[in-house]
Amino acid sequence: MLRAEEKLTNSLHWHQRVGTQRDWVWRGWQTRYTYLRPALGQNQGAIAFPDSADKPITSATSSTPIILLHGFGASIGHWRQNLTQLAENHTVYALDLLGFGASQKAPVNYDVSLWVDQVYDFWLTFIKEPVVLAGNSIGSLICLAAAAAHPDMVAGTVMISLPDPSVRAEAVPGWLLPAIEAVESWFVSPLILRPLFALVRKPAVVRRWVGFAYANPEAITDELVEILAGPAGDRGAARAFCAVFKAVGSAQVGPGVKTILRNSTIPMLLIWGKQDRMIPPRFARPHQFVECNPQYVELVELDNAGHCPQDECPEQVNQAILNWMSRNFAARGKSQLQRC
């Protein structure tokens, strides 16, 4: 049974459950972010929802801040069931990556390095102290790449359903790759993708697609469909969809996971749903990532969870993250407030 306050929280529209949303202009493009921080003073355990006139700050009484990065086709709203619990003792930020959610659907070449730059510039602008990066799917790959590129920013990473772009290169003979890439380039052309976008943006189709990604049918709500389908109506959404879809299907979209893992010396948590059909554990073999760096990588596998366990079983994921953080990151104690 949910506690009374949990029932009240879940009855609110998702925009009311993700903290304070703001727009930030990055490289001339409008992007969206949100933040939520612990209440200060005696009611530290309560969640503060600052009004729109306040500027986000890192709480003096909280420990390591967290930045949440969504996966393909998602947005800030995909973290609506995680932000409040994670923010009981941590300042938590969530970003709409460029091309997704309420961020601008910019006409650019998308890849992991672009989103890493967005995250790093956001950190330089608003935080400027080591954070835990937590992401789902392509968001988790961005976390890993950001940790390698900017060690000053990242104290640790949480990777939920981590894709590895190098897997195909390892599995397919080198002589066959050019032919495969030629066929793929045809399928990801705008002539194919624009009609596909017109189809997949429909709520009924989104619901079916989510049914493949999720293991728990009860988690597929009208609210979730609204979160995923809504941004498809934005200006430039079709063009951005074509560019992003082409990028995430490329072996060059991001760095090789195993190489970064072997060279990392920060705490890393890997979370995987055992019923993930998009990156099935029996093929991805998440234990191999632990074997790359057993000193620093921990693995949590969840029953009855698919590709997005942070939304399917949020209580378990939230607790796994908080337990891992309590073991690896001591509270900073009182520090100087960082104003944004």
Side-chain angles (χ1 to χ4, degrees):
M1 294 291 291
L2 290 173
R3 295 177 300 175
E5 59 267 32
E6 289 174 326
K7 290 181 179 179
L8 176 62
T9 298
N10 288 337
S11 69
L12 299 174
H13 189 273
W14 74 265
H15 281 286
Q16 299 173 283
R17 309 203 312 267
V18 295
T20 300
Q21 294 188 61
R22 296 277 176 75
D23 287 334
W24 172 55
V25 177
W26 177 65
R27 296 185 178 179
W29 300 308
Q30 173 269 327
T31 66
R32 179 67 54 86
Y33 72 95
T34 192
Y35 70 95
L36 195 58
R37 60 186 174 88
L40 303 179
Q42 294 181 349
N43 296 323
Q44 182 180 346
I47 300 301
F49 292 87
D51 61 44
S52 59
D54 288 339
K55 289 188 176 182
I57 62 173
T58 300
S59 167
T61 56
S62 68
S63 53
T64 308
I66 304 170
I67 298 178
L68 302 174
L69 304 177
H70 60 77
F72 178 74
S75 64
I76 286 168
H78 216 191
W79 300 104
R80 69 201 182 285
Q81 302 193 79
N82 313 103
L83 276 149
T84 299
Q85 187 173 352
L86 295 178
E88 288 181 358
N89 292 292
H90 302 272
T91 301
V92 184
Y93 303 83
L95 311 185
D96 275 349
L97 298 168
L98 191 71
F100 294 103
S103 288
Q104 190 169 337
K105 312 306 182 286
V108 298
N109 293 323
Y110 290 93
D111 61 13
V112 165
S113 64
L114 176 74
W115 293 311
V116 167
D117 288 347
Q118 178 188 349
V119 174
Y120 185 63
D121 288 346
F122 177 86
W123 177 80
L124 283 176
T125 302
F126 294 109
I127 306 174
K128 295 182 181 178
E129 64 177 301
V131 300
V132 164
L133 291 181
N136 172 229
S137 193
I138 190 70
S140 64
L141 185 60
I142 296 167
C143 293
L144 196 63
H150 303 289
D152 56 323
M153 174 176 64
V154 186
T157 59
V158 177
M159 298 162 289
I160 305 171
S161 308
L162 174 66
D164 186 355
S166 66
V167 167
R168 186 181 65 174
E170 295 174 355
V172 177
W175 62 268
L176 192 56
L177 275 175
I180 293 176
E181 291 172 352
V183 173
E184 288 177 341
S185 67
W186 186 82
F187 277 105
V188 298
S189 70
L191 290 175
I192 299 296
L193 289 181
R194 282 185 177 270
L196 178 63
F197 175 75
L199 176 65
V200 300
R201 66 186 289 182
K202 296 179 179 179
V205 178
V206 170
R207 187 178 291 274
R208 294 191 191 98
W209 169 72
V210 176
F212 178 77
Y214 279 47
N216 179 9
E218 295 182 0
I220 306 172
T221 62
D222 291 342
E223 179 180 75
L224 175 62
V225 173
E226 173 194 331
I227 290 169
L228 298 175
D234 292 351
R235 181 179 181 181
R239 178 186 57 208
F241 171 81
C242 294
V244 172
F245 191 89
K246 181 178 180 179
V248 298
S250 169
Q252 287 74 45
V253 65
V257 167
K258 294 176 185 176
T259 300
I260 296 180
L261 289 177
R262 291 190 188 100
N263 296 323
S264 295
T265 56
I266 58 173
M268 293 171 281
L269 176 63
L270 186 62
I271 300 176
W272 219 288
K274 290 184 178 180
Q275 283 71 46
D276 188 342
R277 289 188 285 260
M278 301 192 77
I279 312 179
R282 65 182 180 277
F283 295 125
R285 297 187 296 112
H287 285 279
Q288 71 176 323
F289 297 136
V290 179
E291 293 166 2
C292 287
N293 196 339
Q295 181 178 354
Y296 291 103
V297 181
E298 296 182 35
L299 172 64
V300 173
E301 294 183 284
L302 299 173
D303 290 318
N304 303 314
H307 192 62
C308 306
Q310 80 278 7
D311 193 44
E312 296 177 81
C313 48
E315 296 84 3
Q316 292 176 264
V317 171
N318 294 342
Q319 199 57 57
I321 294 173
L322 292 172
N323 290 345
W324 170 80
M325 290 189 70
S326 68
R327 292 194 302 271
N328 289 282
F329 306 100
R332 295 192 317 267
K334 191 170 183 178
S335 62
Q336 183 178 4
L337 296 182
Q338 303 269 349
R339 292 194 176 271
C340 302

